[in-house]
Amino acid sequence: MAHRKPAFKGKKDFLSYVEVNGTAGRWIAPPGTKRSEDEVVLYYVHGGGMVVDTGGDCQIWAMRLAEEMNIKRNVQFSVFSLDYNLAPDHMYPSQLIEVLAGYHYLVNTLCIPEDKICIAGDSAGGNLVAAFLLHLARPNPVIQVPSSLGPTPRRPGSAFLISPWVALVSSSPTRKANAKYDLIDIDFAAYAALDYIGVEYPMGKSPIWNPLHILSAVAPPLDAHLLPAPGAQATHAGNEGVGVDLLLSPYVNPSVCGDLEWWKEACPDGGRTMVAWGGKEAICEDVEDLVAKLESAGVQPRSLCKPLGVHDWILFEESIPGLWITRETGPSRERNWGMDQLGNFLQDIDIRARKINRDSKRRPEEPVPKKEAVELAPTIVTPAATPSGKAGRRRK
């Protein structure tokens, strides 16, 4: 029902649904525009623990972002939000195969250049995006699409991870310390992870919904044996195992990937990968660990941290009244701070894509103008140190 909210008032024709060659999703774009003429396309993978369709909930944020880019910044921009199959009916690698098929649809069917695509995802969608990028760098044979979809495209030009759930299970201190502040219940998240990899719930109990807590579970804590043993080595493509062993696969649980060269190959560098998270979310420390890895790998990620923000704050501030109001004293206390920073990031991507397009059309003998070089330096947007102290089928 997101399209009935005020954000879509008078703009319902911005929204359209497609299903092509097994890829289903929704487009948010100004009516009358062509996707092949877009300057930036956001390929969005929604969260929900792989078990809940939250794509509709993200539409309000996507609509406001489309307005920000097309109207305020004069950048022809669109969002393609993927509708993927959900666990437990569809388990790993089903969702990653659909993310790959969706990427083929954008590049091979619609002829959108990879450099114009920013792949993005929140929470579980951030997990899928990180795993997808790792797969493009070092392909996993279990993640394949029909050859009729064409060759596998190159890595997208940029990436945006929102509160990425890259550690499906974790013992990080903020999982307990921030539980009282956050919008998600970490026990539910762990049980959703078990659905994703096809593992039975401990003691036979299943999580249930609690309307007073967006994601909550009535179930015993997960057994400690689900956490990777200290010193356990990550598995590799073709040697992933099954069940709980999948938690050691970087394609399932990206946090176990300690290979910095792999991260360097996977993520767009030079400020073209941005990670957003909140200092008061339960998985805060897990996200900070990811950012530290990307920095060590030389990816030069942009960091968008709201010290008093919760899980997916940049999304929910557009749909939950008053969520943006905190006791912060820095620039992040402003109503549109997150949207402004994301707009700047996407506009930089547009500038870079335009330069690449010009260079590809320039004759080999034609000299390159010295003043046209565009370099995206890494940007850290964090008003203050984070509290942890570390730098079935689609819904019918």
Side-chain angles (χ1 to χ4, degrees):
M1 304 298 289
H3 64 279
R4 297 186 181 273
K5 298 292 182 67
F8 278 85
K9 186 176 181 179
K11 302 183 182 70
K12 293 181 181 178
D13 50 358
F14 271 57
L15 181 65
S16 61
Y17 295 86
V18 297
E19 186 160 0
V20 180
N21 296 328
T23 292
R26 62 202 83 188
W27 280 101
I28 295 178
T33 57
K34 297 180 179 179
R35 306 288 64 80
S36 59
E37 297 176 356
D38 284 340
E39 294 161 323
V40 179
V41 174
L42 189 79
Y43 177 25
Y44 195 76
V45 185
H46 69 75
M50 308 341 178
V51 298
V52 181
D53 180 358
T54 62
D57 297 333
C58 299
Q59 286 180 185
I60 297 174
W61 169 80
M63 182 68 244
R64 295 202 186 281
L65 181 58
E67 291 179 311
E68 171 76 18
M69 298 305 296
N70 287 283
I71 299 174
K72 182 178 178 180
R73 297 175 184 263
N74 197 31
V75 174
Q76 185 166 321
F77 171 86
S78 63
V79 178
F80 178 68
S81 180
L82 180 71
D83 285 338
Y84 57 85
N85 289 310
L86 304 173
D89 293 340
H90 299 268
M91 299 175 291
Y92 169 84
S94 173
Q95 291 79 2
L96 278 173
I97 292 173
E98 292 186 74
V99 174
L100 178 60
Y103 193 49
H104 278 254
Y105 159 66
L106 295 178
V107 177
N108 295 339
T109 302
L110 299 185
C111 300
I112 300 172
E114 295 95 330
D115 296 311
K116 292 186 177 183
I117 297 175
C118 176
I119 188 167
D122 75 280
S123 195
N127 173 297
L128 293 174
V129 168
F132 170 72
L133 292 171
L134 290 172
H135 166 73
L136 286 185
R138 301 184 186 181
N140 185 335
V142 305
I143 304 169
Q144 291 189 14
V145 297
S147 59
S148 60
L149 297 185
T152 300
R154 294 183 293 107
R155 183 179 69 185
S158 56
F160 180 41
L161 305 179
I162 304 170
S163 297
W165 184 35
V166 289
L168 295 185
V169 291
S170 168
S171 60
S172 66
T174 57
R175 292 212 170 197
K176 289 186 177 180
N178 288 347
K180 59 185 176 182
Y181 305 112
D182 210 359
L183 294 172
I184 63 167
D185 184 278
I186 210 61
D187 285 338
F188 170 84
Y191 281 86
L194 296 185
D195 271 341
Y196 181 49
I197 61 176
V199 173
E200 293 282 338
Y201 298 121
M203 300 172 61
K205 289 194 174 183
S206 303
I208 64 173
W209 290 108
N210 177 349
L212 299 179
H213 203 203
I214 292 179
L215 295 178
S216 184
V218 178
L222 288 176
D223 293 341
H225 73 270
L226 291 178
L227 293 170
Q233 296 295 314
T235 58
H236 299 284
N239 186 34
E240 295 178 285
V242 296
V244 174
D245 289 342
L246 285 172
L247 293 175
L248 287 173
S249 168
Y251 303 100
V252 175
N253 199 18
S255 66
V256 302
C257 180
D259 188 336
L260 298 183
E261 284 299 318
W262 193 354
W263 282 115
K264 175 70 172 178
E265 297 166 17
C267 297
D269 59 5
R272 292 180 296 142
T273 293
M274 185 160 76
V275 184
W277 75 98
K280 288 297 184 180
E281 65 174 293
I283 63 172
C284 172
E285 191 166 0
D286 298 326
V287 178
E288 290 174 354
D289 287 344
L290 171 65
V291 173
K293 284 182 183 178
L294 298 184
E295 290 173 342
S296 297
V299 173
Q300 298 176 299
R302 298 190 187 195
S303 297
L304 185 61
C305 175
K306 184 168 185 174
L308 298 182
V310 294
H311 187 72
D312 277 359
W313 62 268
I314 196 170
L315 299 180
F316 291 135
E317 284 187 354
E318 299 300 332
S319 55
I320 300 179
L323 186 66
W324 63 275
I325 301 174
T326 68
R327 294 185 178 182
E328 296 180 22
T329 58
S332 61
R333 68 179 299 174
E334 300 298 327
R335 173 65 180 86
N336 294 316
W337 178 72
M339 185 65 72
D340 288 342
Q341 298 304 322
L342 176 56
N344 292 341
F345 172 70
L346 293 173
Q347 196 159 29
D348 285 346
I349 299 307
D350 172 42
I351 293 172
R352 185 184 184 106
R354 289 171 184 260
K355 177 186 180 298
I356 292 174
N357 183 56
R358 289 197 304 269
D359 289 348
S360 66
K361 294 179 179 179
R362 185 179 291 114
R363 296 190 303 272
E365 66 275 11
E366 185 177 344
V368 179
K370 293 182 179 180
K371 293 185 179 180
E372 286 194 280
V374 174
E375 181 177 349
L376 295 182
T379 301
I380 298 178
V381 185
T382 174
T386 54
S388 64
K390 298 182 67 174
R393 182 67 187 169
R394 289 173 275 275
R395 186 174 61 186
K396 297 180 181 178

